[in-house]
Amino acid sequence: QVQLVESGGGLVQPGGSLRLSCAASGFAFNNYGMSWYRQAPGKERELVAEISSVGIISNYADSVKGRFTISRDNAKNTVYLQMNSLKPDDTAVYYCKARSRRSGLEFWGQGTQVTVSS
């Protein structure tokens, strides 16, 4: 059974930090590229960051460059999103996604809420 379980969300003040985790199981994690998306109320889901299967290549949305860092630990089947200097505009539900470059198969987690507010 494929599972992606996000954790680490919560309420944080502007300027603060959070570290999201996404624990994967049920598939060959090290063969999948991993991504973090977010969706704010009334807005479309958007790509935040992505990382290649072996962690060499990463890309970021312009809005988070220099503040967020995506990483992965293939030994733990986990992908992380370190979020620093958080802003109210970062408030959203954050989702992780796994995608096989070879087959195109995609899996999504259930999401974790991040709220940035004073």
Side-chain angles (χ1 to χ4, degrees):
Q1 180 182 2
V2 172
Q3 280 194 311
L4 292 172
V5 180
E6 300 98 333
S7 61
L11 173 64
V12 63
Q13 292 187 342
S17 297
L18 283 174
R19 188 194 195 202
L20 305 183
S21 299
C22 173
S25 60
F27 64 99
F29 180 77
N30 59 355
N31 289 340
Y32 282 69
M34 298 298 297
S35 307
W36 286 96
Y37 284 74
R38 68 185 180 187
Q39 188 166 20
K43 295 187 176 181
E44 293 187 355
R45 192 172 296 189
E46 63 173 355
L47 176 66
V48 175
E50 57 187 351
I51 189 167
S52 60
S53 60
V54 294
I56 294 176
I57 299 172
S58 59
N59 293 299
Y60 299 89
D62 287 344
S63 58
V64 307
K65 278 181 183 176
R67 300 188 298 123
F68 290 11
T69 303
I70 189 170
S71 62
R72 64 190 294 160
D73 185 339
N74 283 357
K76 296 182 178 180
N77 287 1
T78 301
V79 63
Y80 305 97
L81 186 68
Q82 178 67 45
M83 305 186 295
N84 299 329
S85 303
L86 282 161
K87 306 174 182 179
D89 283 351
D90 295 319
T91 296
V93 178
Y94 283 71
Y95 300 88
C96 70
K97 186 186 83 171
R99 185 178 187 279
S100 168
R101 187 175 180 180
R102 180 186 302 177
S103 68
L105 271 174
E106 293 185 353
F107 309 118
W108 288 88
Q110 83 290 348
T112 185
Q113 176 71 47
V114 171
T115 302
V116 184
S117 175
S118 54

